[in-house]
Amino acid sequence: MTIMLSGSDLTVTEVVAAARHGESVAFAPGAIATMEQARAVVEEVLAKDEPVYGLNTGVGERKSFLLDPAERRKFNQRLVLNHRIAQGDVAPSDVGRGAMVCLANSYAKGVTGVRPELAEMIVTLLNEGFAPPVRRLGSIGQGDLGPMADLAHGLITHSGFEVAENEGLALVSSNAFTTAWACLALADAQTLMDAFDVAGALDLEAFGANLTSLHPIIEQTRPFPGLAVTLTRLRELLDGSYLSHPKAARFLQDPLTFRCLPQIHGAARDALGYAATTLQLELNSSQSNPVVVKAERRIVSVGNFDIGPLAAALDFARIALAPVVTSANERMVKLLQAPFSGLAAGLAAQLATPDDALSELATAGQAITVEARTLAHPVSYELASSVKGEGIEDRATMAPLSARRLADMVSLCTRVAAIELVVAAQAIDLRPSGKLGRGTGRVYRLVRELVPFTQADGTLPADLEPLVELISRGDLP
């Protein structure tokens, strides 16, 4: 099904579908006409020869320099080249393709003043599967100037397109790079939360936990939407489990990381929900400067490239993920410890053994968890310096760093979830408990297809990558 770009109703799911899965993209009816109307205002303003930022003047601290009419197009070409200051490794190709979707959608809104031909060129290359190389570092989030210049250069070079007045600025002065990465990272974070619910439910069975922690009184007395979703998922996963039998629980009250699992995961779901709502608004908002005001037949300078709401929302999402991964790691460690699990230390297949069994997985889990937690530090209030641009550029959202950290954090957390599943499956094999839940039973079988039980004379699983990939794809129940 073709994704229609109108500038007003693009979704996170659609960005992911086009960026990762090659879903075709087209402009909605009326979008081309809307862009043509905005471009007509640009041409009118150019004919008046009045100073308009970035249209017939320089940019930044050179905003007072008037451009010779004969030099305007060449200036826009140089503008792209002069902003190719991005550094570091190339971002994943789906980020570049996602940025193309976001950029084309912003043009469809009809306030940037670009010609429809530019927008159509981007969509054509997107549908052909083109992915321009875009370096990941060098943007402070007030328009992703460096990465977007990489993107623009790749598009122009590949297509042979010649930019006109205002179009060089419209290509680079956009936050499409950040917005696209945020879409991909947030989608992955939501998939991760589903996986953590699954692993947490398996932990409860592996531990012999008390299921009063899932009692309906919880959402009745704490009506948070994320908590309700988590409780519903956990109950479905554990439906039919031996834990539902009277006296199945080993303790009256379990450690907090087991007992408060719904509350911890529910809080993260609510934070991700807030981020998704903010991102949905950002996807369909103008990030342009200047902006065409068609009703007034003029172009005005604005600060629409300041995407502070998104930067802060992504910070919030990472902060809420930190307790989730910390708790998952703690449950995994407790399952490996005989005083808590009631099983052999390290979940060894037999008590009398000199081998570590799975004990050393705790070290890997702790290391990755600490690294993931460091990425939760908020960045939306950071500003390296206000000297740039003669003091004009004295504000930064650091939104691209916030999005990239979310993506990196999700990647690390996925590995903790994989370790958590392996340890829980080993404990289930060793505990003479009984029937697993309908959902957890399927999960257990999936884990065992990829990672076998560690026997008494066996060694640690050599490779958890297949399980990591399974989680990343969202293939857990």
Side-chain angles (χ1 to χ4, degrees):
M1 184 175 179
T2 300
I3 297 166
M4 307 303 290
L5 304 180
S6 67
S8 61
D9 55 6
L10 183 64
T11 68
V12 172
T13 301
E14 288 174 330
V15 173
V16 175
R20 282 189 176 155
H21 309 302
E23 196 75 40
S24 63
V25 173
F27 286 108
I32 298 298
T34 298
M35 287 185 274
E36 289 174 339
Q37 293 163 7
R39 186 64 192 184
V41 175
V42 171
E43 299 296 340
E44 289 175 15
V45 172
L46 283 171
K48 295 177 184 177
D49 210 26
E50 296 176 356
V52 177
Y53 179 82
L55 186 65
N56 51 20
T57 74
V59 298
E61 64 263 40
R62 294 175 176 81
K63 62 184 182 299
S64 59
F65 284 81
L66 288 174
L67 300 172
D68 186 285
E71 288 294 315
R72 289 171 185 166
R73 290 203 170 199
K74 289 184 178 178
F75 172 78
N76 274 264
Q77 295 167 11
R78 295 196 304 272
L79 190 68
V80 171
L81 297 176
N82 288 337
H83 282 83
R84 292 196 66 205
I85 46 82
Q87 304 290 315
D89 296 334
V90 171
S93 60
D94 55 4
V95 176
R97 287 179 52 77
M100 292 169 68
V101 179
C102 295
L103 187 62
N105 187 63
S106 72
Y107 292 164
K109 200 167 189 69
V111 296
T112 58
V114 302
R115 295 170 297 164
E117 292 88 343
L118 173 59
E120 291 175 313
M121 177 269 287
I122 296 172
V123 166
T124 297
L125 293 185
L126 186 66
N127 289 336
E128 291 175 355
F130 181 64
V134 181
R135 290 167 291 180
R136 66 177 66 207
L137 304 178
S139 171
I140 62 173
Q142 302 297 99
D144 296 318
L145 303 178
M148 291 305 296
D150 274 356
L151 182 88
H153 182 258
L155 296 172
I156 293 168
T157 302
H158 187 82
S159 66
F161 189 87
E162 184 176 332
V163 295
E165 296 90 340
N166 189 51
E167 291 179 341
L169 181 60
L171 281 165
V172 303
S173 184
S174 164
N175 301 93
F177 176 75
T178 292
T179 310
W181 210 329
C183 287
L184 297 164
L186 190 59
D188 290 343
Q190 290 165 336
T191 298
L192 172 70
M193 282 309 307
D194 288 343
F196 270 131
D197 283 348
V198 168
L202 205 63
D203 285 343
L204 295 178
E205 288 185 315
F207 193 75
N210 193 326
L211 287 195
T212 59
S213 63
L214 306 184
H215 193 282
I217 193 64
I218 296 170
E219 60 259 59
Q220 294 172 24
T221 54
R222 289 186 61 77
F224 286 87
L227 177 59
V229 170
T230 303
L231 285 164
T232 297
R233 279 183 51 77
L234 291 173
R235 291 178 191 133
E236 290 174 350
L237 287 161
L238 291 164
D239 183 39
S241 170
Y242 80 95
L243 290 178
S244 61
H245 298 160
K247 300 182 180 180
R250 292 193 302 126
F251 302 112
L252 179 62
Q253 285 200 108
D254 300 315
L256 294 181
T257 52
F258 290 87
R259 189 172 13 133
C260 298
L261 191 156
Q263 288 79 6
I264 297 165
H265 288 199
R269 285 190 176 279
D270 285 337
L272 293 176
Y274 171 73
T277 300
T278 304
L279 181 54
Q280 181 70 26
L281 286 169
E282 190 61 58
L283 270 178
N284 297 289
S285 297
S286 167
Q287 299 172 340
S288 305
N289 176 51
V291 167
V292 175
V293 187
K294 285 180 284 189
E296 299 177 12
R297 314 305 292 178
R298 63 188 292 227
I299 302 173
V300 298
S301 295
V302 295
N304 280 351
F305 45 76
D306 191 299
I307 57 172
L310 179 59
L314 295 174
D315 278 353
F316 181 31
R318 296 196 314 282
I319 290 169
L321 273 180
V324 174
V325 68
T326 302
S327 298
N329 180 75
E330 187 64 24
R331 290 192 299 271
M332 179 267 293
V333 171
K334 281 184 165 56
L335 284 172
L336 291 169
Q337 295 175 322
F340 286 102
S341 71
L343 302 170
L347 298 178
Q350 62 186 37
L351 291 173
T353 176
D355 295 326
D356 293 323
L358 299 188
S359 291
E360 290 306 310
L361 280 177
T363 302
Q366 289 170 322
I368 299 170
T369 296
V370 168
E371 186 172 350
R373 281 167 49 86
T374 63
L375 296 175
H377 182 83
V379 299
S380 55
Y381 54 71
E382 297 289 353
L383 175 61
S385 171
S386 64
V387 176
K388 172 72 168 59
E390 297 181 350
I392 296 170
E393 298 177 10
D394 57 354
R395 161 76 180 140
T397 67
M398 297 311 301
L401 177 58
S402 200
R404 177 158 48 86
R405 282 193 169 187
L406 178 59
D408 291 344
M409 188 176 186
V410 169
S411 178
L412 290 167
C413 289
T414 300
R415 296 186 176 279
V416 175
I419 296 172
E420 182 184 10
L421 285 167
V422 170
V423 170
Q426 183 82 1
I428 284 170
D429 284 331
L430 296 176
R431 191 182 301 285
S433 53
K435 185 180 178 182
L436 300 180
R438 290 183 178 86
T440 50
R442 293 195 300 272
V443 174
Y444 168 81
R445 290 188 290 274
L446 279 173
V447 173
R448 280 290 169 253
E449 287 176 7
L450 299 174
V451 183
F453 175 74
T454 300
Q455 302 289 345
D457 57 350
T459 58
L460 283 171
D463 186 8
L464 299 188
E465 291 306 311
L467 185 54
V468 170
E469 293 172 6
L470 182 80
I471 296 169
S472 298
R473 292 194 305 267
D475 287 345
L476 288 174

